[in-house]
């Protein structure tokens, strides 16, 4: 990044177009994204203007936003000049000018993504535009591009919230075996119905407003206008230590104590142990651990569920600060004794950006369960409310909170033991406006999977905004990895992805799973943690539009496999 930015700075001071060349490294160890390089060469705007071999800002990543953008000023005290503007400030100012500050927050988020991606696109794709004196620019400050007039307007708190909540999000369109970062557009529109005038490429603001007023969250609004083949890219899932890539986290138990241990992504499938987290929990009192962003800072915090020796229960939050977890703070507690089948769950259930904590508890009658939800405030939990009650045998089920429907709110996802009939996968969909959940509906009955020998991990594998399920099950030669893909028709479709071979006869008894986005591409990767007697082997499966990439194995001799529990 240092070399690339130094070159860019020289070019921008000179103010003239430069000849495009293969870019150097991107932020830290993350390379420039190849799709941005290809986009700069092939976009029709550059081809038509004969500028495919030239660049102005010349940004070459579709995952990390550019630090600056070059704007031609056509009005105000700077008329006729090209200003190099902080990119985030530019997006905030344009959002205030073109999407106002009174639209509800989900419309603000929708507009923020569209404003950002339009401008971002033209920092990559150069249209050959220069002033009379030869200064290049990416966009104009008028309605030919985007209305930018910071002298006249100041972004409101709601504008800023919309930008902050979606800053890492970008959009793609699937094309063949790949996908492409595309130019987002928006118009005021003439029809007020949600989804009216949809043409698959533009947003229409009157309709977006109707969608938001109807309780839709921004992912659903985007789909109403930009489907089919839309990919919603939110990279860095399960980032804890603040380096943007997802991390691998586990509780490691020794001498009656459990401590969190975090591995950051290295290179070529390698991992680096993060600094000691300085936390220990009494193993005998610790029932479960989960991860979710409870404090609204973009990092997953540690949520632990305890049963103290003196009785009752409590839920502690250890907030991630970018390097390590802070001291645990009790956010919820009770004096009642909970069933051994009670399960701690955590995710954003109402789409407000704040993590929520839930407990799946046995009901008063046999075979009935209740989901009791503590809504998060960013700094604490509200009193519990029962959001779902229905038939469910907890002893024969495993549950997650995940957004299988893709509406921006976590749903209740359950895998159930069907005995000789395999495993049944059911989803209770979230309701609009953060209310209760719907009926627990069967999405897939899979006779080819056995409850006793199948492991699961949750994540969005194909970037469609719907959480999928990785499954790992035994084969004659070792293990098979499949994905249960969530679809818009409320079903899961099982797709094979990988299998070990005779040369590595790994058994299910030697495998633990972790899911995270280690390569910052918005697709949730699967880590197989394998027992190697002298430590633990990490094998990373990184999904692509077609198939997946298997990273070279990484052996961590100091990590005792038996003592580690991923969370």
């Amino acid at each position: 990044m240092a070399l690339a930015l130094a070159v860019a700075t020289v070019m921008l001071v000179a103010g003239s177009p430069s000849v495009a060349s293969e870019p150097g490294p991107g932020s830290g160890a993350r390379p420039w994204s190849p799709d941005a390089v290809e986009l700069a060469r092939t976009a029709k705007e550059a081809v038509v203007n004969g500028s495919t071999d030239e660049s102005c800002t010349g940004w070459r990543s579709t995952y990390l936003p550019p630090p600056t953008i070059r704007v031609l000023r056509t009005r105000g005290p700077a008329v006729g000049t090209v200003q190099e503007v902080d990119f985030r400030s530019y997006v905030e100012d344009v959002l205030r000018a073109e999407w106002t500050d009174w639209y509800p927050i989900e419309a603000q988020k929708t507009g923020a993504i569209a404003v950002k991606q339009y401008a971002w696109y033209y920092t990559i794709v150069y249209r050959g535009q220069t002033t009379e004196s030869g200064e290049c620019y990416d966009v104009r400050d008028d309605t030919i591009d985007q209305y930018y007039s910071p002298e006249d307007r100041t972004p409101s708190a709601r504008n800023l919230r919309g930008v902050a909540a979606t800053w890492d999000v970008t959009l793609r369109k699937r094309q063949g075996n790949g996908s492409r970062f595309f130019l987002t557009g928006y118009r005021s529109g003439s029809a007020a119905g949600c989804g009216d005038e949809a043409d698959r490429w533009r947003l229409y603001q009157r309709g977006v407003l109707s969608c938001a007023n109807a309780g839709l969250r921004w992912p659903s609004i985007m789909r109403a206008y930009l489907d089919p083949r839309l990919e919603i890219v939110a990279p860095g899932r399960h980032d804890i230590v603040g380096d943007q890539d997802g991390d691998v986290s586990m509780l490691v138990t020794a001498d009656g104590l459990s401590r969190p241990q975090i591995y950051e992504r290295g290179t070529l499938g390698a991992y680096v142990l993060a600094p000691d987290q300085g936390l220990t929990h009494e193993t005998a009192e610790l029932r479960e651990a989960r991860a979710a962003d409870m404090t609204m800072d973009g990092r997953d915090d540690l949520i632990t569920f305890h049963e103290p020796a003196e009785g009752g229960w409590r839920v502690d939050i250890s907030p991630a600060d970018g390097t390590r977890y802070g001291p645990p703070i009790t956010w919820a507690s009770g004096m009642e004794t909970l069933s051994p089948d009670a399960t701690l769950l955590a995710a954003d259930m109402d789409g407000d950006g704040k993590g929520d904590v839930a407990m799946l508890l046995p009901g008063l009658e046999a075979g009935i369960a209740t989901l009791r939800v503590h809504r998060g405030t960013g700094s604490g939990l509200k009193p519990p409310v029962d959001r779902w009650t229905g038939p469910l045998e907890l002893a024969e089920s495993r549950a997650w909170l995940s957004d299988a429907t893709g509406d921006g709110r976590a749903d209740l996802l359950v895998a159930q033991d069907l005995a000789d009939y395999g495993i049944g996968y059911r989803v209770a969909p979230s309701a609009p406006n953060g209310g209760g959940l719907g009926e627990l509906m069967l999405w897939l009955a899979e006779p080819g999977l056995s409850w006793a020998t199948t492991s699961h991990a949750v994540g969005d594998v194909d970037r469609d905004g719907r959480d999928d399920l990785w499954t790992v099950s035994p084969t004659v030669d070792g293990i098979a990895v499949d994905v249960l893909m969530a679809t818009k028709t409320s079903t899961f479709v099982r797709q094979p992805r990988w299998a070990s071979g005779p040369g590595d006869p790994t058994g299910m008894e030697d495998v633990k799973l972790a899911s995270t986005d280690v390569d910052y591409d918005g697709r949730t990767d699967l880590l197989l943690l394998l027992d190697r007697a002298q430590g633990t082997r990490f094998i990373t499966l990184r999904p692509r539009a077609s198939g997946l990439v298997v990273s070279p194995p990484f052996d961590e001799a100091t990590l005792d496999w038996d003592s580690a529990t991923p969370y």
Side-chain angles (χ1 to χ4, degrees), residues 258-300:
S258 296
R259 69 182 191 280
Q261 193 158 299
I262 299 169
Y263 286 86
E264 304 176 58
R265 185 199 74 160
T267 58
L268 297 176
Y271 291 87
V272 177
L273 181 62
D276 183 88
Q277 296 301 298
L279 289 178
T280 57
H281 299 282
E282 295 285 344
T283 302
E285 299 183 354
L286 178 61
R287 281 193 46 168
E288 291 181 284
R290 295 288 183 265
D293 182 8
M294 303 300 297
T295 55
M296 297 182 66
D297 64 356
R299 305 182 187 98
D300 273 3

Side-chain angles (χ1 to χ4, degrees), residues 54-117:
E54 298 178 345
S55 64
C56 188
T57 290
W59 192 242
R60 292 294 181 264
S61 174
T62 60
Y63 294 99
L64 289 174
T68 59
I69 185 170
R70 288 179 61 82
V71 185
L72 173 65
R73 302 307 309 274
T74 65
R75 66 174 67 81
V79 62
T81 66
V82 174
Q83 292 182 328
E84 183 181 347
V85 179
D86 175 80
F87 185 70
R88 184 158 180 162
S89 297
Y90 172 86
V91 172
E92 293 165 348
D93 286 325
V94 172
L95 183 67
R96 171 64 180 86
E98 297 197 332
W99 286 75
T100 79
D101 62 348
W102 59 267
Y103 274 21
I105 188 60
E106 295 305 313
Q108 297 286 343
K109 295 175 185 176
T110 304
I113 296 170
V115 166
K116 175 185 63 185
Q117 185 147 326

Side-chain angles (χ1 to χ4, degrees), residues 17 49 58 115 131 191 212 294 316 322 414 424 454 465 507 551:
N49 289 288
V115 166
T131 64
M294 303 300 297
D316 289 348
V414 174
T454 301
S551 296

Side-chain angles (χ1 to χ4, degrees), residues 182-205:
F182 66 96
L183 179 67
T184 51
Y186 45 91
R187 296 176 179 171
S188 60
S190 59
C194 178
D196 285 355
E197 303 179 285
D199 61 9
R200 301 185 297 176
W201 297 102
R202 299 179 186 87
L203 300 173
Y204 289 86
Q205 291 165 308

Side-chain angles (χ1 to χ4, degrees), residues 420-466:
D420 294 339
Y421 299 98
I423 303 177
Y425 296 93
R426 297 180 181 272
V427 175
S430 54
N433 299 314
L437 301 176
E439 179 185 353
L440 196 61
M441 300 180 294
L442 182 67
W443 278 32
L444 177 67
E446 182 47 72
L449 295 174
S450 167
W451 178 258
T453 59
T454 301
S455 297
H456 301 86
V458 173
D460 183 3
V461 175
D462 60 351
R463 301 196 304 199
D464 68 349
R466 301 177 180 92

Side-chain angles (χ1 to χ4, degrees), residues 146-269:
Q146 294 174 310
Y147 195 88
Y148 171 73
S149 184
E151 301 87 357
D152 301 331
R153 295 175 175 85
T154 300
S156 69
R158 188 175 292 180
N159 297 144
L160 298 177
R161 282 178 57 202
V163 173
T166 58
W167 187 246
D168 294 330
V169 176
T170 56
L171 307 175
R172 307 288 196 281
K173 284 279 193 173
R174 285 188 290 276
Q175 296 181 338
N177 290 328
S179 60
R180 190 177 180 97
F181 186 95
F182 66 96
L183 179 67
T184 51
Y186 45 91
R187 296 176 179 171
S188 60
S190 59
C194 178
D196 285 355
E197 303 179 285
D199 61 9
R200 301 185 297 176
W201 297 102
R202 299 179 186 87
L203 300 173
Y204 289 86
Q205 291 165 308
R206 292 183 181 178
V208 167
L209 177 60
S210 295
C211 293
N213 285 336
L216 270 66
R217 297 301 191 253
W218 67 263
S220 297
I221 299 174
M222 287 294 186
R223 287 198 195 90
Y225 284 95
L226 302 179
D227 258 344
R229 301 189 302 278
L230 178 68
E231 290 184 351
I232 298 172
V233 181
R237 183 169 182 150
H238 199 44
D239 174 21
I240 298 171
V241 297
D243 62 354
Q244 297 180 316
D245 299 312
D247 304 306
V248 184
S249 60
M250 60 196 72
L251 289 177
V252 177
T253 301
D255 300 324
L257 297 175
S258 296
R259 69 182 191 280
Q261 193 158 299
I262 299 169
Y263 286 86
E264 304 176 58
R265 185 199 74 160
T267 58
L268 297 176

